[in-house]
Amino acid sequence: MSTASKMLESHPQPLGEIDRVKLTASIDACAECNQACTACADACLSEDDVDDLTKCIRTCLDCADICATTSRALSRQTGYDPVLTKAVLEACVTACKASGEECARHAEHHLHCRICAEVCRRCEQACRDLAESGNRT
Amino acid sequence: MSTASKMLESHPQPLGEIDRVKLTASIDACAECNQACTACADACLSEDDVDDLTKCIRTCLDCADICATTSRALSRQTGYDPVLTKAVLEACVTACKASGEECARHAEHHLHCRICAEVCRRCEQACRDLAESGNRT
Amino acid sequence: MSTASKMLESHPQPLGEIDRVKLTASIDACAECNQACTACADACLSEDDVDDLTKCIRTCLDCADICATTSRALSRQTGYDPVLTKAVLEACVTACKASGEECARHAEHHLHCRICAEVCRRCEQACRDLAESGNRT
Amino acid sequence: MSTASKMLESHPQPLGEIDRVKLTASIDACAECNQACTACADACLSEDDVDDLTKCIRTCLDCADICATTSRALSRQTGYDPVLTKAVLEACVTACKASGEECARHAEHHLHCRICAEVCRRCEQACRDLAESGNRT
């Protein structure tokens, strides 16, 4: 059980309509994606072909910031606001899709882009799953 | 001219369809709102009626994180992606609206909530104006 | 092997004097501590005795921000600067110590504070170990 | 009067030994430096000589993160901890010095680096002044 999951279980407020497993998966995926995108942007900076990677670096920096914010917003349960959660998840899905596609374009040449593309896609899927579970209820 | 405006003018890449004045206004409004919401959440923590302010604190913390991320994403021009910009602006408008409304409920009792509500509304409007200017082009 | 560890291995730049295992441990511990402190601050907000927890909330918010920044700075290898790394690690050790001690004061009454105190102490130790390994070389 | 200054004045807790003018100056300087460094890193990415600017980009990214965290930590007064404030200010001074020096090396060729170097130095000085005012009391 991840720390995010333990923190969620020990929260005094009941989760209500939110799927706990999907919520934890999104919190953890966003934290992982923040780290991977930060590291990938930096690894790109050290590559000989950095001038071909500038869009990739920019997209990774945006994705890192948005994932960091999403992981935090999802970690909060007090005064839960489904409209805000949905808007944040949609921005995160968009950022992960953009970053995943850009990294995938360089996946053959750079292992860090291949790893980062996979992390972005997992995070995109986790946020999509959570957003859709909210719609159903 | 604000520093954000000077940095924008000195960027090697042309802005294209984006309205420079509205872009700068949003970057600065988001930075101001990040600070005001961080300070308001903390001021609420020091109030005697903190137990009435917990939703306000949470909404301010979310809004601070989202505004910080939006200010950064808007400060980047390399590999500009209008879809991502729009998604981030929409999340920011939603967060500022939620935080502005919650702070407004406490504006009579707490000056910091009154100031923060005004800052949130200005930021909401600036982001809305920028998002709409993008739609027109 | 964590994603942080895989990203580090795929970085084009050699690590030089830095201990890879300790570096990865610190990156992951800081990310975990950012999440735990964010969640603990929010869980405290939902407790009936929130007015006894305001210092704990504030310390957790500071620790979350500092851990987020430390995790990112440690994830970057390009143009490595040992002086900056040391200063960031020292701020992080100080923040984790403060937050760990404050959470420990409430550990008997609130499980989230107990879990968070443990996470803070692990992160403090990981950052201390990394900072000391740098001093030796 | 800046928003940070108004928020500080409306805080229910007295400032104690802290110099209000210097505190506000540091909060605002850190927020400005976060923005300038974020924008400078991105402008560097769009330059033809990006391969000469990779250390500058990395240093700006670190400085942006540390300034963002410092601005937030300084905006909080609840449960004030002088030891933590001092450690954060020292990390910020170190980051601003590194980023200011690196940007200064490119100031002749790139206006965004010249502006950013000035912003970093002002922020370094503001944080140094605040840290020293704390030592005196």
Side-chain angles (χ1 to χ4, degrees), chain D residues 23-55:
Chain D
L23 178 57
T24 308
S26 289
I27 293 172
D28 286 336
C30 285
E32 184 188 25
C33 199
N34 173 19
Q35 198 279 326
C37 281
T38 301
C40 189
D42 183 78
C44 287
L45 278 181
S46 286
E47 295 289 356
D48 289 337
D49 62 338
V50 59
D51 51 326
D52 286 334
L53 297 163
T54 56
K55 187 178 168 60

Short mmCIF file of all heavy atoms in Angstrom, two decimals, chain D residues 23-55:
data_model
loop_
_atom_site.label_atom_id
_atom_site.label_comp_id
_atom_site.label_asym_id
_atom_site.label_seq_id
_atom_site.Cartn_x
_atom_site.Cartn_y
_atom_site.Cartn_z
N LEU D 23 10.49 41.95 4.68
CA LEU D 23 9.76 40.70 4.42
C LEU D 23 8.96 40.82 3.13
O LEU D 23 9.01 39.95 2.24
CB LEU D 23 8.84 40.38 5.60
CG LEU D 23 7.97 39.14 5.46
CD1 LEU D 23 8.80 37.89 5.19
CD2 LEU D 23 7.11 38.92 6.71
N THR D 24 8.20 41.94 2.99
CA THR D 24 7.42 42.15 1.77
C THR D 24 8.32 42.21 0.54
O THR D 24 8.00 41.63 -0.51
CB THR D 24 6.62 43.46 1.87
OG1 THR D 24 5.89 43.46 3.10
CG2 THR D 24 5.64 43.58 0.73
N ALA D 25 9.45 42.90 0.68
CA ALA D 25 10.38 43.01 -0.45
C ALA D 25 10.85 41.63 -0.91
O ALA D 25 10.94 41.36 -2.11
CB ALA D 25 11.57 43.89 -0.07
N SER D 26 11.13 40.76 0.05
CA SER D 26 11.60 39.41 -0.30
C SER D 26 10.50 38.57 -0.94
O SER D 26 10.74 37.85 -1.91
CB SER D 26 12.13 38.69 0.94
OG SER D 26 13.34 39.25 1.36
N ILE D 27 9.29 38.64 -0.40
CA ILE D 27 8.17 37.88 -0.98
C ILE D 27 7.97 38.28 -2.44
O ILE D 27 7.85 37.43 -3.33
CB ILE D 27 6.86 38.13 -0.18
CG1 ILE D 27 6.97 37.55 1.24
CG2 ILE D 27 5.66 37.56 -0.91
CD1 ILE D 27 5.81 37.92 2.15
N ASP D 28 7.97 39.60 -2.69
CA ASP D 28 7.74 40.10 -4.06
C ASP D 28 8.93 39.79 -4.97
O ASP D 28 8.75 39.42 -6.13
CB ASP D 28 7.45 41.61 -4.03
CG ASP D 28 6.05 41.91 -3.49
OD1 ASP D 28 5.19 41.02 -3.57
OD2 ASP D 28 5.83 43.03 -3.00
N ALA D 29 10.15 39.93 -4.45
CA ALA D 29 11.34 39.66 -5.27
C ALA D 29 11.40 38.18 -5.66
O ALA D 29 11.79 37.85 -6.79
CB ALA D 29 12.60 40.06 -4.51
N CYS D 30 11.03 37.29 -4.74
CA CYS D 30 11.04 35.85 -5.05
C CYS D 30 10.00 35.51 -6.10
O CYS D 30 10.24 34.68 -6.99
CB CYS D 30 10.78 35.03 -3.78
SG CYS D 30 12.20 34.96 -2.67
N ALA D 31 8.82 36.13 -6.01
CA ALA D 31 7.78 35.86 -7.00
C ALA D 31 8.22 36.35 -8.37
O ALA D 31 8.04 35.67 -9.39
CB ALA D 31 6.47 36.53 -6.58
N GLU D 32 8.85 37.54 -8.41
CA GLU D 32 9.34 38.09 -9.67
C GLU D 32 10.44 37.20 -10.25
O GLU D 32 10.49 36.96 -11.46
CB GLU D 32 9.90 39.51 -9.41
CG GLU D 32 10.36 40.24 -10.66
CD GLU D 32 11.07 41.55 -10.32
OE1 GLU D 32 11.61 41.69 -9.21
OE2 GLU D 32 11.08 42.44 -11.20
N CYS D 33 11.31 36.69 -9.38
CA CYS D 33 12.45 35.89 -9.83
C CYS D 33 11.99 34.51 -10.34
O CYS D 33 12.54 33.98 -11.29
CB CYS D 33 13.45 35.75 -8.69
SG CYS D 33 15.11 35.26 -9.23
N ASN D 34 10.98 33.95 -9.69
CA ASN D 34 10.37 32.70 -10.17
C ASN D 34 9.89 32.89 -11.61
O ASN D 34 10.19 32.08 -12.50
CB ASN D 34 9.20 32.34 -9.25
CG ASN D 34 8.37 31.16 -9.73
OD1 ASN D 34 8.80 30.36 -10.56
ND2 ASN D 34 7.14 31.05 -9.22
N GLN D 35 9.20 33.99 -11.87
CA GLN D 35 8.67 34.24 -13.21
C GLN D 35 9.79 34.50 -14.22
O GLN D 35 9.82 33.91 -15.31
CB GLN D 35 7.70 35.43 -13.18
CG GLN D 35 6.77 35.51 -14.38
CD GLN D 35 7.42 36.13 -15.61
OE1 GLN D 35 8.25 37.03 -15.50
NE2 GLN D 35 7.06 35.63 -16.78
N ALA D 36 10.73 35.37 -13.84
CA ALA D 36 11.81 35.73 -14.78
C ALA D 36 12.65 34.51 -15.14
O ALA D 36 13.00 34.31 -16.31
CB ALA D 36 12.68 36.82 -14.17
N CYS D 37 12.98 33.67 -14.16
CA CYS D 37 13.81 32.49 -14.42
C CYS D 37 13.04 31.47 -15.28
O CYS D 37 13.64 30.82 -16.15
CB CYS D 37 14.25 31.84 -13.10
SG CYS D 37 15.62 32.71 -12.33
N THR D 38 11.74 31.32 -15.03
CA THR D 38 10.94 30.42 -15.86
C THR D 38 10.93 30.90 -17.31
O THR D 38 11.10 30.11 -18.25
CB THR D 38 9.49 30.37 -15.32
OG1 THR D 38 9.51 29.90 -13.97
CG2 THR D 38 8.61 29.44 -16.15
N ALA D 39 10.73 32.21 -17.49
CA ALA D 39 10.67 32.78 -18.83
C ALA D 39 12.05 32.77 -19.50
O ALA D 39 12.15 32.54 -20.72
CB ALA D 39 10.13 34.21 -18.77
N CYS D 40 13.12 32.99 -18.72
CA CYS D 40 14.47 33.01 -19.29
C CYS D 40 14.87 31.61 -19.75
O CYS D 40 15.45 31.45 -20.83
CB CYS D 40 15.48 33.56 -18.27
SG CYS D 40 17.12 33.85 -18.96
N ALA D 41 14.57 30.59 -18.95
CA ALA D 41 14.87 29.21 -19.35
C ALA D 41 14.17 28.89 -20.67
O ALA D 41 14.75 28.27 -21.57
CB ALA D 41 14.42 28.24 -18.26
N ASP D 42 12.93 29.34 -20.80
CA ASP D 42 12.17 29.08 -22.03
C ASP D 42 12.71 29.88 -23.21
O ASP D 42 12.81 29.36 -24.34
CB ASP D 42 10.70 29.41 -21.82
CG ASP D 42 9.88 29.07 -23.04
OD1 ASP D 42 9.59 27.88 -23.23
OD2 ASP D 42 9.58 29.98 -23.85
N ALA D 43 13.08 31.14 -22.99
CA ALA D 43 13.65 31.96 -24.06
C ALA D 43 14.97 31.35 -24.54
O ALA D 43 15.24 31.29 -25.74
CB ALA D 43 13.86 33.40 -23.58
N CYS D 44 15.80 30.86 -23.59
CA CYS D 44 17.06 30.19 -23.95
C CYS D 44 16.78 29.00 -24.86
O CYS D 44 17.53 28.75 -25.81
CB CYS D 44 17.79 29.72 -22.69
SG CYS D 44 18.56 31.04 -21.73
N LEU D 45 15.72 28.25 -24.58
CA LEU D 45 15.37 27.07 -25.40
C LEU D 45 15.10 27.45 -26.84
O LEU D 45 15.27 26.63 -27.75
CB LEU D 45 14.10 26.40 -24.84
CG LEU D 45 14.24 25.43 -23.67
CD1 LEU D 45 12.87 24.87 -23.32
CD2 LEU D 45 15.21 24.31 -23.98
N SER D 46 14.62 28.67 -27.08
CA SER D 46 14.30 29.12 -28.44
C SER D 46 15.47 29.82 -29.15
O SER D 46 15.31 30.26 -30.29
CB SER D 46 13.08 30.06 -28.41
OG SER D 46 11.89 29.32 -28.19
N GLU D 47 16.62 29.93 -28.48
CA GLU D 47 17.77 30.58 -29.11
C GLU D 47 18.52 29.60 -30.03
O GLU D 47 18.55 28.40 -29.77
CB GLU D 47 18.75 31.11 -28.04
CG GLU D 47 18.21 32.22 -27.16
CD GLU D 47 18.04 33.55 -27.92
OE1 GLU D 47 18.42 33.63 -29.10
OE2 GLU D 47 17.50 34.50 -27.31
N ASP D 48 19.16 30.15 -31.06
CA ASP D 48 19.95 29.31 -31.98
C ASP D 48 21.12 28.64 -31.26
O ASP D 48 21.52 27.53 -31.61
CB ASP D 48 20.51 30.18 -33.14
CG ASP D 48 19.39 30.61 -34.08
OD1 ASP D 48 18.35 29.92 -34.11
OD2 ASP D 48 19.57 31.63 -34.77
N ASP D 49 21.67 29.33 -30.26
CA ASP D 49 22.82 28.76 -29.54
C ASP D 49 22.40 28.07 -28.25
O ASP D 49 23.10 28.15 -27.24
CB ASP D 49 23.87 29.84 -29.25
CG ASP D 49 23.34 30.96 -28.35
OD1 ASP D 49 22.10 31.12 -28.30
OD2 ASP D 49 24.14 31.66 -27.70
N VAL D 50 21.26 27.36 -28.30
CA VAL D 50 20.74 26.70 -27.10
C VAL D 50 21.78 25.75 -26.49
O VAL D 50 21.82 25.58 -25.27
CB VAL D 50 19.41 25.95 -27.39
CG1 VAL D 50 19.58 24.90 -28.47
CG2 VAL D 50 18.83 25.33 -26.14
N ASP D 51 22.62 25.15 -27.32
CA ASP D 51 23.62 24.22 -26.77
C ASP D 51 24.68 24.91 -25.91
O ASP D 51 25.37 24.26 -25.12
CB ASP D 51 24.28 23.40 -27.89
CG ASP D 51 24.79 24.28 -29.02
OD1 ASP D 51 24.15 25.32 -29.29
OD2 ASP D 51 25.80 23.94 -29.63
N ASP D 52 24.79 26.24 -26.02
CA ASP D 52 25.69 26.99 -25.14
C ASP D 52 24.96 27.45 -23.87
O ASP D 52 25.58 28.06 -22.99
CB ASP D 52 26.24 28.24 -25.85
CG ASP D 52 27.29 27.88 -26.89
OD1 ASP D 52 27.94 26.82 -26.74
OD2 ASP D 52 27.45 28.65 -27.85
N LEU D 53 23.66 27.24 -23.82
CA LEU D 53 22.84 27.81 -22.74
C LEU D 53 22.27 26.75 -21.79
O LEU D 53 21.43 27.05 -20.95
CB LEU D 53 21.69 28.62 -23.35
CG LEU D 53 22.10 29.85 -24.18
CD1 LEU D 53 20.95 30.33 -25.05
CD2 LEU D 53 22.57 30.97 -23.26
N THR D 54 22.73 25.50 -21.91
CA THR D 54 22.08 24.44 -21.13
C THR D 54 22.31 24.60 -19.62
O THR D 54 21.41 24.35 -18.83
CB THR D 54 22.55 23.05 -21.61
OG1 THR D 54 23.98 22.98 -21.54
CG2 THR D 54 22.11 22.80 -23.03
N LYS D 55 23.51 25.02 -19.23
CA LYS D 55 23.74 25.24 -17.78
C LYS D 55 22.89 26.41 -17.29
O LYS D 55 22.35 26.38 -16.18
CB LYS D 55 25.22 25.51 -17.49
CG LYS D 55 25.50 25.57 -15.98
CD LYS D 55 26.98 25.79 -15.68
CE LYS D 55 27.22 26.12 -14.21
NZ LYS D 55 26.78 25.09 -13.27
#
